[in-house]
Amino acid sequence: EITLPDEADSTYLVKVRQTNASNDSADNQPLTSVSDMVEFTVDTSAPFVEVISASSADQTITIAYNEALDPSSVPATTDYEITQSGNDLTVSEVKFDSENANNLLLIIDSGLNNGAVRVAYTPSDNLVQDAAGNQSTTGFNSMIVSDGYIRGAEVYIDRNEDGIADAEEYLPDYTTDEFGQLILPDSVLNAPENVGKQIIIQGGINMDTGAANEIELKAPVGYEVINPLSTLVAEVIETGVTQEEA
């Protein structure tokens, strides 16, 4: 029997000792043997999305997870909502990448072009799970932060709707990657205090110029791109105009 710490997810090295109650005739002691060092990994954490990329040439969206996935559990095509430039795209097939066990592929029926794409995932019956059987029960929503792609930006949700990125509204666990992607799980987006609130982006590095981003960007939750245009829309909404009117 092995007792592991509460935070058990890790790789462990152990030696197994076996004792036979029969005595060794030479010294009248129990027979004991010890194995070589044995390595095993404990994994109780669900997989999570690291990067989402799209290929217009292949009409494919690749969702890269942090670890190898179990190919026997394939999500439904209807679990995914794809939007590009205001147009809804249809997922015709969901399959696993035969060349990379971490990747899930969404095959788009048609119409996927170069540029920002919004991917929303709402899990239903067949959940994404890793090789250890840990299921990912949380959906997500992706957005692109773009005035030139911005990496390492700070993310805020304007809960008090004053248009200001207050310290208590900062989301320290989330930022934008080198492609300007911001992936927020449903646990954040659907929290009662966050529903319908705007996202505010500060700081980060402009990947086109290498310069620090000094522009504060905003967008209503659910926008596929957070850029100067979405910031203008957000500022109009702050005056009392609805998102549809803006």
Side-chain angles (χ1 to χ4, degrees):
E1 179 178 336
I2 300 175
T3 301
L4 299 175
D6 291 338
E7 300 297 328
D9 282 20
S10 185
T11 297
Y12 297 86
L13 296 173
V14 298
K15 286 185 177 181
V16 179
R17 180 189 300 273
Q18 180 178 357
T19 300
N20 190 322
S22 300
N23 292 339
D24 186 325
S25 58
D27 57 11
N28 201 34
Q29 294 297 318
L31 295 172
T32 300
S33 62
V34 179
S35 73
D36 293 334
M37 194 71 73
V38 177
E39 179 178 297
F40 69 95
T41 300
V42 176
D43 178 8
T44 61
S45 299
F48 59 85
V49 177
E50 289 189 324
V51 178
I52 297 175
S53 58
S55 169
S56 59
D58 298 331
Q59 293 293 291
T60 299
I61 294 173
T62 300
I63 304 177
Y65 282 80
N66 66 309
E67 59 179 324
L69 302 176
D70 176 5
S72 69
S73 184
V74 183
T77 58
T78 52
D79 290 352
Y80 296 91
E81 179 183 317
I82 313 299
T83 310
Q84 188 176 51
S85 301
N87 299 316
D88 294 332
L89 304 181
T90 300
V91 178
S92 59
E93 182 183 4
V94 179
K95 63 181 184 179
F96 291 90
D97 189 343
S98 60
E99 298 180 356
N100 188 329
N102 291 27
N103 291 350
L104 189 67
L105 306 179
L106 308 183
I107 310 304
I108 304 303
D109 186 56
S110 64
L112 180 62
N113 300 311
N114 293 327
V117 61
R118 172 179 168 265
V119 179
Y121 169 59
T122 304
S124 59
D125 294 332
N126 292 334
L127 300 175
V128 174
Q129 64 183 33
D130 62 19
N134 300 302
Q135 295 181 325
S136 178
T137 59
T138 304
F140 63 81
N141 199 319
S142 72
M143 291 159 273
I144 303 293
V145 178
S146 175
D147 185 26
Y149 292 147
I150 296 174
R151 171 180 58 81
E154 294 182 346
V155 182
Y156 299 79
I157 292 185
D158 187 20
R159 298 187 181 103
N160 60 10
E161 300 180 282
D162 64 353
I164 299 172
D166 299 313
E168 62 272 16
E169 298 172 334
Y170 175 49
L171 302 180
D173 295 331
Y174 303 96
T175 187
T176 52
D177 64 19
E178 61 188 288
F179 303 105
Q181 292 181 118
L182 170 62
I183 302 173
L184 294 177
D186 285 350
S187 57
V188 171
L189 294 173
N190 293 336
E193 66 272 20
N194 296 338
V195 172
K197 303 301 190 292
Q198 295 184 356
I199 293 176
I200 301 176
I201 297 293
Q202 289 186 344
I205 301 296
N206 187 308
M207 297 301 289
D208 288 349
T209 65
N213 171 51
E214 298 180 353
I215 301 174
E216 182 176 84
L217 300 171
K218 302 179 182 179
V221 169
Y223 255 51
E224 65 188 67
V225 179
I226 304 175
N227 60 15
L229 179 58
S230 72
T231 300
L232 179 60
V233 171
E235 290 174 350
V236 170
I237 291 174
E238 288 173 4
T239 67
V241 174
T242 66
Q243 181 170 327
E244 289 73 18
E245 291 171 335

